[in-house]
Amino acid sequence: MDSMPETAIPADVRRFLLATIPSVPHLEALLLLRDQPTAWMPKELAHRLYVDTMTASVLVQHLSAAGLLICEGEACRYAPNDPAVALTIDALASLYTRQTVAIAKLIHSVSDRRAQSFADAFLLPKDR
């Protein structure tokens, strides 16, 4: 059943998601690269994730900047720069197969709050 409360997501996994994974496509890309640790080109990743190549390139850039991938040219592969993070990602991968909805809701709740904060910044004082 996919109705796991967010509090049942282990603290280390929850922190990793909140700090590092801004969207479900980022998570899907990370887990795909983890499961098949060969070098991937953005076009190949795009095909597997059902996104366009530009989106796949941005996902890879973000994950690389977070220290989760190593890229040589356009080819990137899974290679977290911290063994503790790799263990957290392993736990996340296992959990995600059983609790996809709970994890997606957690990711969306953060992105929704960020979008609302951004939108609120444009409100005039009388609108607040």
Side-chain angles (χ1 to χ4, degrees), residues 110-124 128:
V110 172
S111 63
D112 290 348
R113 282 193 300 264
R114 287 181 184 146
Q116 186 61 55
S117 294
F118 180 75
D120 288 348
F122 293 96
L123 290 176
L124 296 175
R128 290 184 184 178

Side-chain angles (χ1 to χ4, degrees), residues 6-128:
E6 288 178 13
T7 55
I9 297 171
D12 60 335
V13 171
R14 188 176 173 78
R15 276 191 305 275
F16 173 78
L17 287 168
L18 295 174
T20 312
I21 305 296
S23 72
V24 173
H26 283 86
L27 177 58
E28 295 281 345
L30 177 64
L31 295 179
L32 177 62
L33 291 164
R34 175 192 166 272
D35 289 343
Q36 299 180 15
T38 59
W40 285 75
M41 298 295 286
K43 184 176 179 178
E44 298 165 322
L45 191 59
H47 178 72
R48 288 292 299 274
L49 295 174
Y50 304 104
V51 298
D52 60 58
T53 303
M54 180 60 80
T55 299
S57 294
V58 170
L59 295 173
V60 164
Q61 289 170 6
H62 290 167
L63 295 171
S64 178
L68 304 173
L69 308 179
I70 290 177
C71 298
E72 296 172 356
E74 287 190 33
C76 297
R77 65 180 170 78
Y78 178 75
N81 59 12
D82 181 340
V85 170
L87 291 174
T88 299
I89 295 168
D90 290 345
L92 171 59
S94 176
L95 186 64
Y96 191 58
T97 62
R98 299 183 317 271
Q99 301 300 336
T100 306
V101 173
I103 291 171
K105 282 182 179 178
L106 176 61
I107 293 168
H108 286 298
S109 72
V110 172
S111 63
D112 290 348
R113 282 193 300 264
R114 287 181 184 146
Q116 186 61 55
S117 294
F118 180 75
D120 288 348
F122 293 96
L123 290 176
L124 296 175
K126 67 178 184 173
D127 295 333
R128 290 184 184 178

